Amino acid sequence: MVTKPKYYLDRRGHDLFWEFEHGKYPVVLAIGFCYLNIEKYLRRAGRKTADPSEDLRKAMTYFQEYKKLLELRSMGQLHDQGLYLALSYDNFKDREKVYLARLERLEKQIKAGEAKFL
């Protein structure tokens, strides 16, 4: 059973997995994201709650996406365009301002009950 809650969907009905599969992010980052989430849920299983079932389902969900991304990458359907920017400290101060302003704006909107999510 796959765990994909609807609250992860954006306004167009897309979740991160859809965005990963359609090249919105460099594939190596998407693969790493899935890999690390598999590890997180495997380590957490049976520790956060007595029943490890939900964490194991989540680990399986990320494993299935991990496998799909590896396959798409091996077929040349996904790319690592933008990886340099994501991993570079060059111009980080400008990006930091944008990220922090976005977080602050979203926090204010949530508190005011006006949040418009992605």
Side-chain angles (χ1 to χ4, degrees), residues 3 9-10 12 22 25 35 38 45 50 52 64-65 71 75 80 89 92 104-105 108:
T3 301
L9 301 178
D10 64 13
R12 295 178 311 269
H22 289 83
Y25 302 97
Y35 180 84
I38 294 165
Q64 290 172 349
E65 182 66 11
E71 290 170 349
M75 294 184 290
D80 282 326
Y89 194 69
F92 181 77
E104 186 176 311
R105 185 176 59 249
K108 286 179 184 178

Side-chain angles (χ1 to χ4, degrees), residues 17 20-21 27 30-32 34-35 38 59-75 78:
F17 291 173
F20 291 163
E21 295 165 16
V27 69
I31 289 168
C34 292
Y35 180 84
I38 294 165
M60 181 55 76
T61 299
Y62 281 102
F63 176 78
Q64 290 172 349
E65 182 66 11
Y66 172 75
K67 180 181 176 185
K68 184 184 286 186
L69 293 172
L70 287 174
E71 290 170 349
L72 291 170
R73 184 175 191 233
S74 74
M75 294 184 290
L78 291 176

Side-chain angles (χ1 to χ4, degrees), residues 89-101:
Y89 194 69
D90 297 346
N91 203 22
F92 181 77
K93 291 294 181 188
D94 292 335
R95 288 183 285 140
E96 180 180 36
K97 289 176 190 175
V98 171
Y99 298 147
L100 294 176

